[in-house]
Every structure is written in structure tokens, then in C-alpha cells.
Amino acid sequence: MTDQHRHDTRLDQFVDSYSQRTNGMRVSAVRALFAVANRPEIVSLAGGMPNIKDLPLPAIGDSFAEMVAQHGMQVMQYGSGQGEPVIRERIVEVMALEGISAHPDDIAITAGSQQGLDLVTRIFCDPGDVVLAESPSYVGALGTFLSYEVEVVHVVSDENGIDPQALRETIARLKADGKRVKFLYTIPNFSNPAGVTQPLERRVEVAATCADAGVIVVEDNPYGLLALDAEPVPAIRSFDENVIYLGSFSKTFAPGFRVGWVLAPHAVREKLVLAQESATLCPPVFSQFAIANYLTHHDWQHQITVFKDMYRERRDTLLDALASEMPSGTSWTHPAGGFFVWVTLPEGLDTQAMLPRAVDARVAYVPGGAFYADGQGARNVRLSYCFPPPDRIRVGVERFADVVRHELEVMNTFGVRTGHPLPGTRRPAGPGPELT
Ligand code: PMP
């Protein structure tokens, strides 16, 4: 620390030293919410944590203990920068369930698919490059793109995901403006946050449009095996080998291991491994062996059906409660899997401004603006059904609907948008708008 740093009385004495790219780093709205949403009196429909309560922990613990006793010297040592062959071989089998045929050598293991997103952005994007994303898109991916000083452009999307016509027009417009469009980031299955799924015809059209325009497709698929109503739609990667595909064990097993993967064409995979080596030397070896052990010694496919039964009941409860409680003029998506429902409130409501009042009413959600890089989403919220038990979900929706009704009354009575509180209006106790 320099003398100048030592005597500096500014709040952050390092403020002049940070790199430009830290300007793009934002506090995750979801993370900031956890502090409040975890209070027991609050029904949190905010966080998207997988619900791992049904995992057979004693049995898993026993097989891990055996693994350490027999192979401790290997599983606690440094490993391959690409990831261990034993887990890459099993991942090929996991992906086959979604129609993907691949070779273990085409896989790079990452610390969760979040690190996959980071490495993919790192090897493809220079500051000012454009990444296309759904409208809305995953907040964690937006954070990664912005931290690499990438310009995120949202493509108009509907209840079937990206609109191919809008995709064509957006790419043409950006190219005419001289922009370099690097890739399309898409979550075709049960997207976070919209809860929508691209049908096969749309996947084909989106992939063909990108191929024609020379835009890479990055397919992020952490929820694909959590299809609650029907068989999963084949992944884009199943019919287009140029796609860069991100997978994860966070939702089908447990997120704490931090094991995900990238399946990529050979040359890209080599660059990813170089980037991984500079980031971490090698992905966590213990976790990779632990997951390989779980996949070998436990009926993991049955466990996924147990998870699905639990999520299905919660999804149905949330949708029923929305149907019976929400005021007219409100709409929401009907997810066929995953964790999330995307709600659209009447024009004029501001879900960011409304959040403190919702927390005061003991319900939490994530305001829609978190899922856009360009300020859209003011009247949207993401509701997650993965964590609270069904009776709490129902209570949460009742509280949420009350808050919305009250906001509408205020808006209709005073003719103001709720984002601009009337002078002298009491702001309820609780966290302020800095929450996101
Ligand atoms: N992609 C999407 C769409 C997600 O929802 C998440 C987690 N919420 C991730 C990637 C990251 O997951 P992980 O790093 O745990 O694999």
C-alpha cells in the first residue's frame, strides 16, 4: 500500500486504481436480495436456489468417504486443465439424454456453467463487441458480459423464446452500424427468468439465422433435464455441431460442487482450456470425482424424477395461486420446466419501486429490470417456485397480489406511476431501492 493510499480518507481509497472493466461489474440483484429474503417471516419467491432437500445425504456421504479412503491421493491432487476423463465420459452420457452426441475430448470442465460463460466471453469478446441475448435474459450472464465491457443487445422474444424475424433484423441493423456481433446467448429450455421454451422449429430457425450471419450460438442449458410436462426438446447442439454448449450439475444434482462444462468445437475447446489454466490451473478435482462417484453409485436419473415431482407440485401451486389471486391486466408465463415464472403487471407499475412495499408485506421477488442490460423490465417480476413449500408459495402469491392491487389503487386514484411516490407518502420500513 502506498503512502497516498494509507492517508486517503475516501470511502474506497483504491478508486483510482481499478481497471476500466470493473465499471461494468454490478452487484447482482439476486445476491443483494438474499440478505432480506432469508428472514423467516418473508416468503421469498426471489432466489433461484435449487432445492436439494430430497438428496439421500447419508448414502452420498458414505460413498464419498469410501472414495477418499481409496483414491484420496488422486482426488485431492491437482488435475487436468481440461477436466478429469472420468467425469467427461459420464457427461457424454448425460448429454445423450438431450439428443447430443459428443466425444469426451470435446468437453472442458468448468467451475459451474457460470465459469463456462466467463471463459467463453473471455476468449471471444473484446470491449465494444456485441452479444445478443433473449428479452429478458439470465442476470448472471449479463453480469459476465458487462464485466468484459461487452454491449448486450436484447432480441425481441415471446412465449416461444427468441423471435427469428427480430433476430434477423437485429443482426442486420447492428452490422449496418459497423458493430461486431460475436455470439447469441440463449437458454432454449425453461429460461431464466422467463420460464419459456423454444420449440424445435424455432431452434432450427434461430441456429440457421446465426449460421448465415456468422454469429456463434452459445446454448446454456442447466434446466433441460427438469422438463415437468413432456420429454425435453432436442438441444440446438444436437443438430448443429458448431454450437457452444454449456451444461451443469447444479440443478440435476447439487450446485455446491461447482461442476459444469462446455462442449465446443475442437479449436474453441483448446482455447477454453488455456483460459481455464490461467484462471484456475484446473477445475476442482475433488468435485469432479465426487460427481463421477455419485453418477456411478446412485440412481441419479431416479433422483431427477424425485426433483421433478417436487418442482411440478410447486409450479402448479404457483400457477393456480396466480390464476386465483392476481388482478386483471396481469399476465404470466406457464413454464414447462425449470424454476421460474415471469409476470407482467399493468402498464405504469414499477416493480423496482414496489419492492420495499412488497418486503414490508413479507414477500420478495426479483424486479424485472435485473434481467435486462438496457433498462427494460420495469413492470415485470421473476417469481421462483423452487424453494418455498407449496403452502408458503400460496401465501406468498396472496401477499404479492395484495401489494399489486394496492399499487394499482394508488396509481388509479392519484394518476401517477408508482415509480414516483407522492410527496409525503410514507415509505414503508425495509430495504430501499438499492436492493437491486
Ligand atoms: N445459466 C443459467 C441460465 C442459470 O440459471 C444459472 C444459475 N442460476 C447458471 C447458468 C449458473 O449455474 P452454475 O454455475 O451453478 O452451473
Side-chain angles (χ1 to χ4, degrees):
M1 191 184 281
T2 63
D3 271 1
Q4 188 207 337
H5 282 136
R6 213 166 283 131
H7 302 299
D8 204 324
T9 53
R10 283 175 298 182
L11 208 54
D12 180 353
Q13 63 205 2
F14 299 100
V15 75
D16 297 328
S17 304
Y18 294 121
S19 67
Q20 287 285 340
R21 83 181 70 88
T22 60
N23 293 334
M25 294 180 183
R26 308 269 160 83
V27 176
S28 150
V30 185
R31 176 147 46 89
L33 260 171
F34 271 131
V36 234
N38 280 342
R39 298 205 313 247
E41 70 276 19
I42 293 181
V43 177
S44 177
L45 301 171
M49 279 195 305
N51 195 333
I52 53 175
K53 72 177 177 58
D54 294 327
L55 282 174
L57 294 185
I60 293 173
D62 288 349
S63 59
F64 285 5
E66 205 181 307
M67 174 183 89
V68 171
Q70 288 191 5
H71 307 288
M73 299 296 273
Q74 188 184 7
V75 304
M76 290 195 262
Q77 190 51 275
Y78 285 122
S80 146
Q82 186 181 353
E84 300 305 309
V86 66
I87 185 79
R88 288 190 278 113
E89 281 155 19
R90 302 311 304 268
I91 287 171
V92 167
E93 295 161 22
V94 173
M95 290 192 296
L97 297 176
E98 292 184 81
I100 296 174
S101 109
H103 191 276
D105 202 38
D106 299 330
I107 296 168
I109 302 295
T110 53
S113 50
Q114 189 67 35
Q115 198 205 12
L117 277 167
D118 187 277
L119 298 182
V120 167
T121 315
R122 187 187 301 199
I123 66 165
F124 282 115
C125 294
D126 291 308
D129 285 349
V130 171
V131 166
L132 304 173
E134 273 135 2
S135 276
S137 184
Y138 167 49
V139 59
L142 300 181
T144 300
F145 302 148
L146 296 178
S147 78
Y148 283 101
E149 302 169 87
V150 162
E151 187 187 336
V152 178
V153 175
H154 292 279
V155 181
V156 173
S157 310
D158 58 23
E159 67 284 358
N160 291 320
I162 289 174
D163 176 340
Q165 178 63 21
L167 178 62
R168 274 188 288 276
E169 287 166 11
T170 306
I171 295 174
R173 176 172 52 79
L174 289 165
K175 285 195 166 173
D177 287 350
K179 303 272 188 183
R180 300 208 307 170
V181 184
K182 282 296 170 70
F183 59 80
L184 166 71
Y185 169 68
T186 178
I187 311 163
N189 287 318
F190 330 126
S191 67
N192 178 1
V196 303
T197 298
Q198 275 173 34
L200 184 57
E201 316 79 72
R202 233 189 224 197
R203 295 180 192 213
V204 171
E205 207 177 338
V206 164
T209 303
C210 286
D212 287 348
V215 172
I216 298 162
V217 174
V218 176
E219 177 178 27
D220 186 11
N221 188 27
Y223 302 100
L225 292 180
L226 296 177
L228 301 180
D229 298 329
E231 289 299 299
V233 179
I236 304 177
R237 173 58 178 74
S238 72
F239 57 83
D240 182 346
E241 294 200 344
N242 286 322
V243 165
I244 297 175
Y245 177 91
L246 306 181
S248 173
F249 288 106
S250 292
K251 278 66 187 194
T252 48
F253 179 26
F257 295 98
R258 309 309 299 128
V259 175
W261 66 92
V262 185
L263 170 66
H266 191 74
V268 176
R269 199 273 289 148
E270 283 192 339
K271 285 268 190 300
L272 287 170
V273 173
L274 292 178
Q276 175 67 285
E277 285 169 350
S278 87
T280 67
L281 295 182
C282 63
V285 177
F286 190 93
S287 289
Q288 294 172 69
F289 276 100
I291 293 199
N293 176 294
Y294 172 74
L295 296 177
T296 305
H297 297 294
H298 301 270
D299 189 349
W300 61 276
Q301 297 212 36
H302 171 72
Q303 183 61 46
I304 290 178
T305 66
V306 173
F307 283 145
K308 290 203 297 190
D309 290 345
M310 178 215 16
Y311 290 133
R312 187 180 304 105
E313 187 190 5
R314 284 158 203 242
R315 189 253 339 239
D316 292 347
T317 306
L318 181 69
L319 291 177
D320 283 355
L322 286 168
S324 60
E325 300 296 330
M326 291 307 288
S328 64
T330 321
S331 60
W332 52 90
T333 55
H334 292 76
F339 295 172
F340 308 109
V341 170
W342 182 247
V343 180
T344 305
L345 300 181
E347 184 69 60
L349 292 192
D350 180 334
T351 59
Q352 166 82 49
M354 188 174 90
L355 185 59
R357 300 185 276 279
V359 170
D360 200 37
R362 293 168 297 137
V363 60
Y365 58 79
V366 186
F371 304 97
Y372 288 96
D374 61 5
Q376 298 182 68
R379 61 178 173 130
N380 295 104
V381 305
R382 186 192 76 178
L383 300 181
S384 331
Y385 50 80
C386 46
F387 221 76
D391 56 329
R392 297 284 288 166
I393 290 179
R394 188 162 281 285
V395 171
V397 173
E398 283 164 12
R399 291 175 184 170
F400 177 66
D402 278 347
V403 173
V404 172
R405 250 189 303 278
H406 184 254
E407 297 283 303
L408 282 171
E409 265 168 42
V410 171
M411 188 171 76
N412 294 336
T413 309
F414 297 105
V416 290
R417 298 165 83 87
T418 58
H420 305 279
L422 296 173
T425 320
R426 189 185 76 91
R427 260 198 185 281
E434 69 279 4
L435 205 63
T436 58

